[in-house]
Amino acid sequence: MGTIKTFLLGAGTAYAIYFITRRRIDGTSILDELLDNPSLFMNKAKDYAIAEIVHTVKQKLR
């Protein structure tokens, strides 16, 4: 079972790296955007995390 889990984790990681570094039609990749403007992605991630926390708290209070 451990071998299958390791294989699936490795395959998922390889696909994620492929997806992030894959070039689009305009010649850029997601990694290029992330490296050019990291604060934009951090702010988006922070806003998403806050929204999820608010949603979870509202669900718990019902």
Side-chain angles (χ1 to χ4, degrees), residues 5-22:
K5 192 185 303 182
T6 303
F7 172 74
L8 292 175
L9 183 62
T13 303
Y15 182 74
I17 291 171
Y18 167 76
F19 184 77
I20 290 173
T21 58
R22 183 178 58 187

Side-chain angles (χ1 to χ4, degrees), residues 1-59:
M1 188 66 172
T3 306
I4 294 171
K5 192 185 303 182
T6 303
F7 172 74
L8 292 175
L9 183 62
T13 303
Y15 182 74
I17 291 171
Y18 167 76
F19 184 77
I20 290 173
T21 58
R22 183 178 58 187
R23 298 284 176 187
R24 297 185 213 133
I25 295 171
D26 63 352
T28 63
S29 67
I30 295 173
L31 184 62
D32 292 337
E33 289 180 7
L34 182 63
L35 293 175
D36 288 343
N37 196 0
S39 62
L40 175 68
F41 286 97
M42 288 300 295
N43 290 336
K44 284 183 180 180
K46 192 183 317 179
D47 292 342
Y48 178 75
I50 291 171
E52 284 297 312
I53 290 170
V54 168
H55 177 71
T56 303
V57 169
K58 284 182 180 179
Q59 290 292 334

